Amino acid sequence: MEDQELIQQLQQGNAEAFDQAYKKYAPSMLTIAYTFMRDRDDAADVVQDCFATLLNKPQLWKSIRDIRWYLMRMVQNQCLGVIRKRDMQQQKDEVFQYYNKSAAEDVSLPESYNNNATPQEKENKVVSWLSALSPQRKRAMELVYQQELSYQEAALKMGISKQSIKTHLRYAKQILKSKLTSILIAAVFVTMW
């Protein structure tokens, strides 16, 4: 079946045409996805996601003029989206781990100070630091770092803009960092005297 005829059949909701499109273009899409993802299973997931989107949104077929170009571009965009999401998640995990480790374990404190604080006292300190944040900053931290929502998802949940989420997180990190710094300074003075 020629591409134009295939597109017409897809626009009419023909399931057999959908199967033919999958058989015809999935191998090429898989090759493109693999070049981005560098993992066969991830590449296959991306291709399946593309076809699932087209299956669940049949209105998309109405805008397609060149099916090959559209599918190849779709798989490329899907791969870039997955990679971006992974990078964002990795960055969030690193930031969360840094603040979690710094606040909960007081890793930079002198040994004499660390021996005096129990794990429960350290945990209480972190909880008190978080409670010192404004409700919106605390909520932003919870949504992004604990519930692992994207900035956009957190913004929608809080009813504010994505930029506002970023601002709340930046100020919350500054507050937590200043509290940690003040404890470090106090610990240095304790060990000096």
Short mmCIF file of all heavy atoms in Angstrom, two decimals, residues 61-127:
data_model
loop_
_atom_site.label_atom_id
_atom_site.label_comp_id
_atom_site.label_asym_id
_atom_site.label_seq_id
_atom_site.Cartn_x
_atom_site.Cartn_y
_atom_site.Cartn_z
N TRP A 61 -3.69 11.80 12.76
CA TRP A 61 -3.51 11.30 11.39
C TRP A 61 -4.00 12.31 10.37
O TRP A 61 -3.51 12.36 9.25
CB TRP A 61 -4.23 9.97 11.20
CG TRP A 61 -3.62 8.83 11.95
CD1 TRP A 61 -4.15 8.16 13.01
CD2 TRP A 61 -2.34 8.22 11.72
NE1 TRP A 61 -3.29 7.19 13.45
CE2 TRP A 61 -2.17 7.20 12.67
CE3 TRP A 61 -1.33 8.44 10.79
CZ2 TRP A 61 -1.04 6.40 12.72
CZ3 TRP A 61 -0.20 7.64 10.85
CH2 TRP A 61 -0.07 6.63 11.80
N LYS A 62 -4.96 13.14 10.76
CA LYS A 62 -5.53 14.11 9.81
C LYS A 62 -4.52 15.18 9.40
O LYS A 62 -4.62 15.75 8.33
CB LYS A 62 -6.77 14.75 10.42
CG LYS A 62 -7.90 13.76 10.64
CD LYS A 62 -9.15 14.44 11.10
CE LYS A 62 -10.28 13.51 11.47
NZ LYS A 62 -10.41 12.26 10.88
N SER A 63 -3.52 15.44 10.26
CA SER A 63 -2.53 16.48 9.94
C SER A 63 -1.30 15.93 9.23
O SER A 63 -0.44 16.70 8.82
CB SER A 63 -2.10 17.19 11.22
OG SER A 63 -1.45 16.27 12.09
N ILE A 64 -1.22 14.63 9.05
CA ILE A 64 -0.02 14.02 8.46
C ILE A 64 -0.11 14.03 6.94
O ILE A 64 -1.08 13.56 6.36
CB ILE A 64 0.16 12.57 8.98
CG1 ILE A 64 0.38 12.58 10.49
CG2 ILE A 64 1.32 11.88 8.26
CD1 ILE A 64 0.42 11.19 11.11
N ARG A 65 0.92 14.58 6.32
CA ARG A 65 1.00 14.58 4.86
C ARG A 65 2.06 13.59 4.38
O ARG A 65 1.89 12.93 3.38
CB ARG A 65 1.35 15.99 4.34
CG ARG A 65 0.34 17.04 4.71
CD ARG A 65 -0.98 16.85 3.95
NE ARG A 65 -1.99 17.75 4.45
CZ ARG A 65 -3.08 17.35 5.11
NH1 ARG A 65 -3.29 16.09 5.35
NH2 ARG A 65 -3.96 18.22 5.53
N ASP A 66 3.17 13.52 5.09
CA ASP A 66 4.26 12.62 4.75
C ASP A 66 4.48 11.72 5.96
O ASP A 66 5.10 12.11 6.94
CB ASP A 66 5.52 13.42 4.43
CG ASP A 66 6.69 12.54 4.01
OD1 ASP A 66 6.64 11.30 4.24
OD2 ASP A 66 7.68 13.08 3.48
N ILE A 67 3.95 10.51 5.88
CA ILE A 67 3.93 9.62 7.05
C ILE A 67 5.33 9.24 7.51
O ILE A 67 5.60 9.20 8.71
CB ILE A 67 3.07 8.37 6.78
CG1 ILE A 67 2.86 7.59 8.08
CG2 ILE A 67 3.66 7.50 5.70
CD1 ILE A 67 1.83 6.49 7.97
N ARG A 68 6.23 8.97 6.57
CA ARG A 68 7.59 8.58 6.95
C ARG A 68 8.28 9.71 7.71
O ARG A 68 8.83 9.50 8.78
CB ARG A 68 8.40 8.19 5.71
CG ARG A 68 9.83 7.83 6.04
CD ARG A 68 10.59 7.31 4.81
NE ARG A 68 11.98 7.11 5.06
CZ ARG A 68 12.51 6.21 5.89
NH1 ARG A 68 11.72 5.42 6.56
NH2 ARG A 68 13.82 6.11 6.05
N TRP A 69 8.25 10.92 7.16
CA TRP A 69 8.88 12.06 7.82
C TRP A 69 8.25 12.29 9.20
O TRP A 69 8.96 12.52 10.17
CB TRP A 69 8.71 13.31 6.95
CG TRP A 69 9.35 14.52 7.58
CD1 TRP A 69 10.63 14.93 7.42
CD2 TRP A 69 8.73 15.45 8.47
NE1 TRP A 69 10.86 16.06 8.17
CE2 TRP A 69 9.71 16.40 8.82
CE3 TRP A 69 7.46 15.57 9.01
CZ2 TRP A 69 9.44 17.46 9.68
CZ3 TRP A 69 7.20 16.62 9.87
CH2 TRP A 69 8.19 17.56 10.20
N TYR A 70 6.93 12.23 9.27
CA TYR A 70 6.22 12.48 10.53
C TYR A 70 6.64 11.47 11.60
O TYR A 70 6.95 11.85 12.73
CB TYR A 70 4.71 12.42 10.30
CG TYR A 70 3.92 12.81 11.52
CD1 TYR A 70 3.57 14.13 11.74
CD2 TYR A 70 3.51 11.86 12.45
CE1 TYR A 70 2.86 14.51 12.86
CE2 TYR A 70 2.80 12.22 13.57
CZ TYR A 70 2.46 13.55 13.77
OH TYR A 70 1.75 13.91 14.90
N LEU A 71 6.66 10.20 11.26
CA LEU A 71 7.01 9.16 12.24
C LEU A 71 8.48 9.26 12.68
O LEU A 71 8.79 9.06 13.86
CB LEU A 71 6.70 7.77 11.69
CG LEU A 71 5.21 7.47 11.49
CD1 LEU A 71 5.03 6.11 10.81
CD2 LEU A 71 4.46 7.51 12.80
N MET A 72 9.36 9.56 11.74
CA MET A 72 10.77 9.66 12.09
C MET A 72 11.01 10.88 13.00
O MET A 72 11.78 10.82 13.96
CB MET A 72 11.66 9.76 10.85
CG MET A 72 11.57 8.54 9.93
SD MET A 72 11.75 6.96 10.77
CE MET A 72 10.61 5.96 9.87
N ARG A 73 10.33 11.97 12.69
CA ARG A 73 10.45 13.17 13.52
C ARG A 73 9.81 12.92 14.90
O ARG A 73 10.33 13.35 15.92
CB ARG A 73 9.78 14.34 12.82
CG ARG A 73 9.90 15.62 13.57
CD ARG A 73 11.33 15.96 13.80
NE ARG A 73 11.62 17.20 13.17
CZ ARG A 73 12.79 17.77 13.20
NH1 ARG A 73 13.79 17.18 13.81
NH2 ARG A 73 13.00 18.90 12.63
N MET A 74 8.71 12.20 14.91
CA MET A 74 8.02 11.90 16.17
C MET A 74 8.91 11.07 17.10
O MET A 74 9.01 11.34 18.29
CB MET A 74 6.71 11.15 15.87
CG MET A 74 5.88 10.86 17.07
SD MET A 74 4.39 9.95 16.60
CE MET A 74 3.41 10.21 18.06
N VAL A 75 9.56 10.06 16.56
CA VAL A 75 10.42 9.21 17.39
C VAL A 75 11.63 10.00 17.89
O VAL A 75 12.06 9.84 19.03
CB VAL A 75 10.82 7.90 16.67
CG1 VAL A 75 11.89 8.11 15.64
CG2 VAL A 75 11.27 6.85 17.68
N GLN A 76 12.16 10.87 17.04
CA GLN A 76 13.29 11.71 17.45
C GLN A 76 12.87 12.62 18.62
O GLN A 76 13.58 12.71 19.63
CB GLN A 76 13.77 12.55 16.28
CG GLN A 76 14.91 13.47 16.62
CD GLN A 76 15.32 14.34 15.44
OE1 GLN A 76 14.76 14.26 14.36
NE2 GLN A 76 16.31 15.17 15.65
N ASN A 77 11.73 13.28 18.49
CA ASN A 77 11.25 14.17 19.55
C ASN A 77 10.95 13.40 20.84
O ASN A 77 11.22 13.89 21.94
CB ASN A 77 10.01 14.93 19.09
CG ASN A 77 10.33 15.96 18.04
OD1 ASN A 77 11.47 16.39 17.90
ND2 ASN A 77 9.33 16.35 17.26
N GLN A 78 10.39 12.21 20.69
CA GLN A 78 10.08 11.39 21.87
C GLN A 78 11.38 11.01 22.59
O GLN A 78 11.44 11.06 23.82
CB GLN A 78 9.31 10.13 21.44
CG GLN A 78 8.88 9.24 22.56
CD GLN A 78 7.69 9.79 23.32
OE1 GLN A 78 7.03 10.72 22.89
NE2 GLN A 78 7.42 9.21 24.47
N CYS A 79 12.39 10.64 21.85
CA CYS A 79 13.69 10.29 22.45
C CYS A 79 14.27 11.48 23.20
O CYS A 79 14.75 11.35 24.33
CB CYS A 79 14.68 9.82 21.38
SG CYS A 79 14.33 8.20 20.71
N LEU A 80 14.25 12.64 22.56
CA LEU A 80 14.79 13.84 23.19
C LEU A 80 14.03 14.18 24.47
O LEU A 80 14.62 14.59 25.47
CB LEU A 80 14.77 15.02 22.22
CG LEU A 80 15.72 14.89 21.03
CD1 LEU A 80 15.50 16.03 20.03
CD2 LEU A 80 17.17 14.83 21.48
N GLY A 81 12.71 13.97 24.44
CA GLY A 81 11.91 14.21 25.64
C GLY A 81 12.27 13.27 26.78
O GLY A 81 12.38 13.68 27.93
N VAL A 82 12.46 12.00 26.46
CA VAL A 82 12.84 11.02 27.47
C VAL A 82 14.22 11.35 28.05
O VAL A 82 14.43 11.31 29.27
CB VAL A 82 12.83 9.58 26.89
CG1 VAL A 82 13.47 8.59 27.84
CG2 VAL A 82 11.41 9.16 26.55
N ILE A 83 15.14 11.70 27.18
CA ILE A 83 16.50 12.04 27.64
C ILE A 83 16.47 13.28 28.52
O ILE A 83 17.10 13.33 29.58
CB ILE A 83 17.43 12.25 26.42
CG1 ILE A 83 17.68 10.91 25.72
CG2 ILE A 83 18.75 12.89 26.84
CD1 ILE A 83 18.34 11.02 24.36
N ARG A 84 15.71 14.31 28.10
CA ARG A 84 15.59 15.52 28.91
C ARG A 84 14.99 15.22 30.28
O ARG A 84 15.46 15.71 31.30
CB ARG A 84 14.70 16.54 28.18
CG ARG A 84 15.40 17.82 27.84
CD ARG A 84 14.49 18.87 27.25
NE ARG A 84 13.39 18.43 26.42
CZ ARG A 84 13.46 18.28 25.10
NH1 ARG A 84 14.58 18.51 24.46
NH2 ARG A 84 12.41 17.89 24.43
N LYS A 85 13.96 14.38 30.29
CA LYS A 85 13.31 14.03 31.55
C LYS A 85 14.27 13.27 32.47
O LYS A 85 14.33 13.51 33.66
CB LYS A 85 12.05 13.20 31.29
CG LYS A 85 11.22 12.96 32.50
CD LYS A 85 9.91 12.29 32.15
CE LYS A 85 9.06 12.12 33.40
NZ LYS A 85 7.77 11.53 33.12
N ARG A 86 15.05 12.38 31.90
CA ARG A 86 16.04 11.64 32.69
C ARG A 86 17.09 12.57 33.26
O ARG A 86 17.49 12.45 34.41
CB ARG A 86 16.74 10.57 31.82
CG ARG A 86 15.94 9.34 31.61
CD ARG A 86 16.76 8.35 30.84
NE ARG A 86 15.97 7.19 30.50
CZ ARG A 86 16.33 6.27 29.64
NH1 ARG A 86 17.50 6.39 29.02
NH2 ARG A 86 15.56 5.25 29.38
N ASP A 87 17.56 13.50 32.42
CA ASP A 87 18.57 14.46 32.89
C ASP A 87 18.02 15.32 34.01
O ASP A 87 18.71 15.56 35.00
CB ASP A 87 19.05 15.35 31.73
CG ASP A 87 19.93 14.61 30.73
OD1 ASP A 87 20.38 13.48 31.06
OD2 ASP A 87 20.16 15.14 29.64
N MET A 88 16.78 15.80 33.86
CA MET A 88 16.17 16.61 34.91
C MET A 88 16.04 15.80 36.20
O MET A 88 16.32 16.29 37.29
CB MET A 88 14.79 17.10 34.47
CG MET A 88 14.82 18.34 33.65
SD MET A 88 13.18 18.98 33.19
CE MET A 88 12.18 18.67 34.60
N GLN A 89 15.61 14.53 36.06
CA GLN A 89 15.45 13.69 37.24
C GLN A 89 16.79 13.44 37.90
O GLN A 89 16.90 13.47 39.12
CB GLN A 89 14.79 12.35 36.86
CG GLN A 89 14.45 11.49 38.05
CD GLN A 89 13.51 12.19 39.01
OE1 GLN A 89 12.51 12.75 38.61
NE2 GLN A 89 13.82 12.14 40.28
N GLN A 90 17.82 13.23 37.11
CA GLN A 90 19.15 13.01 37.67
C GLN A 90 19.63 14.26 38.40
O GLN A 90 20.19 14.16 39.48
CB GLN A 90 20.13 12.63 36.57
CG GLN A 90 21.53 12.33 37.09
CD GLN A 90 22.49 11.93 35.97
OE1 GLN A 90 22.12 11.84 34.82
NE2 GLN A 90 23.72 11.70 36.35
N GLN A 91 19.40 15.43 37.81
CA GLN A 91 19.79 16.68 38.48
C GLN A 91 19.03 16.86 39.78
O GLN A 91 19.61 17.23 40.80
CB GLN A 91 19.54 17.87 37.56
CG GLN A 91 20.49 17.97 36.41
CD GLN A 91 20.12 19.09 35.45
OE1 GLN A 91 19.11 19.77 35.61
NE2 GLN A 91 20.93 19.27 34.42
N LYS A 92 17.73 16.57 39.76
CA LYS A 92 16.94 16.70 40.99
C LYS A 92 17.42 15.72 42.04
O LYS A 92 17.52 16.07 43.21
CB LYS A 92 15.45 16.47 40.69
CG LYS A 92 14.78 17.63 40.01
CD LYS A 92 13.28 17.50 40.04
CE LYS A 92 12.75 16.77 38.86
NZ LYS A 92 11.30 16.68 38.81
N ASP A 93 17.72 14.50 41.62
CA ASP A 93 18.21 13.50 42.57
C ASP A 93 19.53 13.94 43.20
O ASP A 93 19.73 13.79 44.40
CB ASP A 93 18.41 12.15 41.89
CG ASP A 93 17.09 11.46 41.56
OD1 ASP A 93 16.04 11.88 42.10
OD2 ASP A 93 17.11 10.51 40.75
N GLU A 94 20.42 14.50 42.37
CA GLU A 94 21.71 14.95 42.88
C GLU A 94 21.54 16.09 43.88
O GLU A 94 22.17 16.10 44.94
CB GLU A 94 22.62 15.39 41.73
CG GLU A 94 23.13 14.24 40.90
CD GLU A 94 23.86 14.68 39.63
OE1 GLU A 94 24.01 15.90 39.41
OE2 GLU A 94 24.27 13.78 38.88
N VAL A 95 20.67 17.03 43.56
CA VAL A 95 20.44 18.15 44.47
C VAL A 95 19.82 17.65 45.76
O VAL A 95 20.23 18.02 46.86
CB VAL A 95 19.54 19.22 43.81
CG1 VAL A 95 19.05 20.24 44.82
CG2 VAL A 95 20.28 19.90 42.67
N PHE A 96 18.82 16.80 45.64
CA PHE A 96 18.16 16.26 46.82
C PHE A 96 19.14 15.47 47.68
O PHE A 96 19.18 15.63 48.90
CB PHE A 96 16.98 15.37 46.43
CG PHE A 96 16.25 14.81 47.63
CD1 PHE A 96 15.44 15.62 48.40
CD2 PHE A 96 16.41 13.49 47.97
CE1 PHE A 96 14.79 15.12 49.50
CE2 PHE A 96 15.76 12.97 49.08
CZ PHE A 96 14.94 13.79 49.85
N GLN A 97 19.96 14.64 47.05
CA GLN A 97 20.94 13.86 47.80
C GLN A 97 21.94 14.77 48.49
O GLN A 97 22.34 14.52 49.63
CB GLN A 97 21.67 12.87 46.88
CG GLN A 97 20.81 11.74 46.39
CD GLN A 97 20.19 10.93 47.53
OE1 GLN A 97 20.83 10.68 48.54
NE2 GLN A 97 18.94 10.55 47.36
N TYR A 98 22.35 15.84 47.81
CA TYR A 98 23.30 16.77 48.41
C TYR A 98 22.71 17.40 49.66
O TYR A 98 23.33 17.39 50.72
CB TYR A 98 23.69 17.86 47.40
CG TYR A 98 24.46 18.99 48.03
CD1 TYR A 98 25.80 18.84 48.35
CD2 TYR A 98 23.84 20.19 48.36
CE1 TYR A 98 26.52 19.85 48.95
CE2 TYR A 98 24.55 21.21 48.96
CZ TYR A 98 25.89 21.03 49.25
OH TYR A 98 26.58 22.05 49.84
N TYR A 99 21.49 17.93 49.53
CA TYR A 99 20.89 18.59 50.70
C TYR A 99 20.51 17.58 51.77
O TYR A 99 20.64 17.85 52.96
CB TYR A 99 19.68 19.43 50.28
CG TYR A 99 20.12 20.71 49.63
CD1 TYR A 99 20.02 20.90 48.27
CD2 TYR A 99 20.70 21.72 50.39
CE1 TYR A 99 20.45 22.08 47.68
CE2 TYR A 99 21.15 22.89 49.81
CZ TYR A 99 21.02 23.06 48.45
OH TYR A 99 21.48 24.21 47.88
N ASN A 100 20.04 16.44 51.36
CA ASN A 100 19.68 15.40 52.32
C ASN A 100 20.93 14.96 53.10
O ASN A 100 20.91 14.85 54.32
CB ASN A 100 19.04 14.22 51.60
CG ASN A 100 18.41 13.24 52.54
OD1 ASN A 100 18.00 13.60 53.63
ND2 ASN A 100 18.35 11.99 52.13
N LYS A 101 22.01 14.72 52.37
CA LYS A 101 23.25 14.27 53.01
C LYS A 101 23.83 15.37 53.89
O LYS A 101 24.23 15.14 55.02
CB LYS A 101 24.26 13.86 51.93
CG LYS A 101 25.52 13.26 52.46
CD LYS A 101 26.39 12.78 51.30
CE LYS A 101 27.65 12.11 51.82
NZ LYS A 101 28.52 11.71 50.73
N SER A 102 23.85 16.61 53.35
CA SER A 102 24.41 17.72 54.11
C SER A 102 23.62 18.00 55.37
O SER A 102 24.18 18.20 56.43
CB SER A 102 24.44 18.98 53.25
OG SER A 102 25.26 18.79 52.14
N ALA A 103 22.31 17.99 55.25
CA ALA A 103 21.48 18.35 56.39
C ALA A 103 21.36 17.20 57.39
O ALA A 103 21.48 17.41 58.60
CB ALA A 103 20.09 18.75 55.90
N ALA A 104 21.15 15.99 56.89
CA ALA A 104 20.89 14.87 57.80
C ALA A 104 22.14 14.34 58.47
O ALA A 104 22.12 13.92 59.61
CB ALA A 104 20.20 13.73 57.04
N GLU A 105 23.26 14.38 57.76
CA GLU A 105 24.47 13.79 58.31
C GLU A 105 25.49 14.82 58.77
O GLU A 105 26.46 14.48 59.42
CB GLU A 105 25.12 12.88 57.26
CG GLU A 105 24.22 11.71 56.87
CD GLU A 105 24.84 10.87 55.78
OE1 GLU A 105 26.02 11.09 55.43
OE2 GLU A 105 24.13 10.00 55.25
N ASP A 106 25.26 16.09 58.44
CA ASP A 106 26.23 17.13 58.78
C ASP A 106 27.64 16.69 58.39
O ASP A 106 28.57 16.73 59.19
CB ASP A 106 26.18 17.47 60.27
CG ASP A 106 24.88 18.16 60.65
OD1 ASP A 106 24.29 18.80 59.77
OD2 ASP A 106 24.47 18.05 61.81
N VAL A 107 27.81 16.25 57.12
CA VAL A 107 29.06 15.66 56.68
C VAL A 107 30.27 16.57 56.84
O VAL A 107 31.37 16.09 57.05
CB VAL A 107 28.98 15.18 55.21
CG1 VAL A 107 28.17 13.96 55.10
CG2 VAL A 107 28.44 16.28 54.32
N SER A 108 30.08 17.86 56.80
CA SER A 108 31.22 18.76 56.87
C SER A 108 31.61 19.13 58.30
O SER A 108 32.57 19.85 58.50
CB SER A 108 30.91 20.05 56.09
OG SER A 108 30.66 19.72 54.75
N LEU A 109 30.84 18.72 59.27
CA LEU A 109 31.12 19.10 60.64
C LEU A 109 32.32 18.36 61.18
O LEU A 109 32.61 17.23 60.79
CB LEU A 109 29.91 18.80 61.53
CG LEU A 109 28.64 19.59 61.21
CD1 LEU A 109 27.52 19.17 62.14
CD2 LEU A 109 28.89 21.08 61.32
N PRO A 110 33.04 18.99 62.12
CA PRO A 110 34.17 18.31 62.74
C PRO A 110 33.71 17.05 63.47
O PRO A 110 32.57 16.95 63.90
CB PRO A 110 34.69 19.34 63.75
CG PRO A 110 34.15 20.65 63.30
CD PRO A 110 32.88 20.36 62.57
N GLU A 111 34.62 16.11 63.61
CA GLU A 111 34.30 14.81 64.21
C GLU A 111 33.73 14.96 65.62
O GLU A 111 32.81 14.26 66.00
CB GLU A 111 35.57 13.93 64.24
CG GLU A 111 35.31 12.48 64.59
CD GLU A 111 34.39 11.78 63.60
OE1 GLU A 111 34.47 12.06 62.40
OE2 GLU A 111 33.58 10.95 64.04
N SER A 112 34.27 15.90 66.41
CA SER A 112 33.79 16.07 67.78
C SER A 112 32.32 16.47 67.81
O SER A 112 31.56 16.05 68.67
CB SER A 112 34.62 17.12 68.51
OG SER A 112 34.49 18.36 67.85
N TYR A 113 31.87 17.26 66.83
CA TYR A 113 30.47 17.67 66.78
C TYR A 113 29.59 16.50 66.36
O TYR A 113 28.52 16.30 66.89
CB TYR A 113 30.30 18.84 65.82
CG TYR A 113 28.87 19.36 65.81
CD1 TYR A 113 28.44 20.25 66.77
CD2 TYR A 113 27.97 18.92 64.84
CE1 TYR A 113 27.15 20.72 66.78
CE2 TYR A 113 26.68 19.38 64.84
CZ TYR A 113 26.26 20.29 65.81
OH TYR A 113 24.98 20.73 65.81
N ASN A 114 30.04 15.72 65.38
CA ASN A 114 29.25 14.59 64.90
C ASN A 114 29.00 13.56 65.99
O ASN A 114 27.96 12.93 66.04
CB ASN A 114 29.93 13.91 63.71
CG ASN A 114 29.69 14.66 62.41
OD1 ASN A 114 28.71 15.38 62.29
ND2 ASN A 114 30.59 14.52 61.48
N ASN A 115 29.96 13.36 66.87
CA ASN A 115 29.80 12.37 67.93
C ASN A 115 28.75 12.79 68.94
O ASN A 115 28.18 11.95 69.62
CB ASN A 115 31.14 12.12 68.64
CG ASN A 115 32.11 11.38 67.74
OD1 ASN A 115 31.69 10.70 66.82
ND2 ASN A 115 33.39 11.52 68.01
N ASN A 116 28.49 14.07 69.07
CA ASN A 116 27.53 14.55 70.06
C ASN A 116 26.09 14.47 69.60
O ASN A 116 25.18 14.53 70.41
CB ASN A 116 27.86 16.00 70.44
CG ASN A 116 29.20 16.12 71.12
OD1 ASN A 116 29.66 15.16 71.73
ND2 ASN A 116 29.82 17.27 71.00
N ALA A 117 25.83 14.38 68.30
CA ALA A 117 24.47 14.37 67.78
C ALA A 117 24.04 12.95 67.42
O ALA A 117 24.73 12.26 66.70
CB ALA A 117 24.38 15.27 66.56
N THR A 118 22.88 12.56 67.94
CA THR A 118 22.34 11.24 67.61
C THR A 118 21.64 11.32 66.26
O THR A 118 21.28 12.42 65.81
CB THR A 118 21.32 10.78 68.68
OG1 THR A 118 20.18 11.65 68.61
CG2 THR A 118 21.94 10.78 70.07
N PRO A 119 21.39 10.17 65.62
CA PRO A 119 20.66 10.21 64.35
C PRO A 119 19.29 10.88 64.49
O PRO A 119 18.85 11.61 63.61
CB PRO A 119 20.52 8.73 63.97
CG PRO A 119 21.68 8.07 64.63
CD PRO A 119 21.90 8.83 65.91
N GLN A 120 18.63 10.66 65.62
CA GLN A 120 17.32 11.28 65.84
C GLN A 120 17.44 12.80 65.95
O GLN A 120 16.63 13.54 65.41
CB GLN A 120 16.66 10.71 67.11
CG GLN A 120 15.25 11.24 67.35
CD GLN A 120 14.30 10.88 66.24
OE1 GLN A 120 14.28 9.74 65.77
NE2 GLN A 120 13.51 11.84 65.77
N GLU A 121 18.50 13.25 66.61
CA GLU A 121 18.72 14.70 66.72
C GLU A 121 19.00 15.31 65.35
O GLU A 121 18.52 16.41 65.04
CB GLU A 121 19.89 14.99 67.67
CG GLU A 121 19.59 14.71 69.12
CD GLU A 121 20.82 14.82 70.01
OE1 GLU A 121 21.94 14.57 69.53
OE2 GLU A 121 20.64 15.14 71.19
N LYS A 122 19.76 14.60 64.54
CA LYS A 122 20.04 15.08 63.19
C LYS A 122 18.76 15.15 62.36
O LYS A 122 18.52 16.11 61.65
CB LYS A 122 21.07 14.18 62.51
CG LYS A 122 22.45 14.26 63.13
CD LYS A 122 23.39 13.28 62.47
CE LYS A 122 24.74 13.26 63.14
NZ LYS A 122 25.65 12.29 62.54
N GLU A 123 17.94 14.11 62.48
CA GLU A 123 16.67 14.10 61.74
C GLU A 123 15.77 15.22 62.23
O GLU A 123 15.14 15.90 61.42
CB GLU A 123 15.98 12.75 61.92
CG GLU A 123 14.72 12.62 61.10
CD GLU A 123 14.08 11.24 61.22
OE1 GLU A 123 14.79 10.26 61.47
OE2 GLU A 123 12.85 11.19 61.07
N ASN A 124 15.72 15.43 63.53
CA ASN A 124 14.90 16.53 64.08
C ASN A 124 15.38 17.88 63.56
O ASN A 124 14.58 18.78 63.31
CB ASN A 124 14.94 16.51 65.61
CG ASN A 124 14.18 15.33 66.19
OD1 ASN A 124 13.36 14.72 65.51
ND2 ASN A 124 14.47 15.01 67.43
N LYS A 125 16.69 18.02 63.40
CA LYS A 125 17.26 19.26 62.89
C LYS A 125 16.78 19.50 61.46
O LYS A 125 16.37 20.61 61.11
CB LYS A 125 18.79 19.18 62.94
CG LYS A 125 19.47 20.50 62.69
CD LYS A 125 20.97 20.36 62.77
CE LYS A 125 21.34 19.83 64.15
NZ LYS A 125 22.73 19.53 64.31
N VAL A 126 16.81 18.47 60.65
CA VAL A 126 16.36 18.61 59.26
C VAL A 126 14.88 18.98 59.23
O VAL A 126 14.46 19.86 58.48
CB VAL A 126 16.62 17.31 58.46
CG1 VAL A 126 16.00 17.39 57.09
CG2 VAL A 126 18.11 17.04 58.37
N VAL A 127 14.08 18.30 60.05
CA VAL A 127 12.65 18.59 60.09
C VAL A 127 12.42 20.04 60.52
O VAL A 127 11.58 20.75 59.95
CB VAL A 127 11.92 17.60 61.04
CG1 VAL A 127 10.49 18.04 61.30
CG2 VAL A 127 11.95 16.20 60.45
#
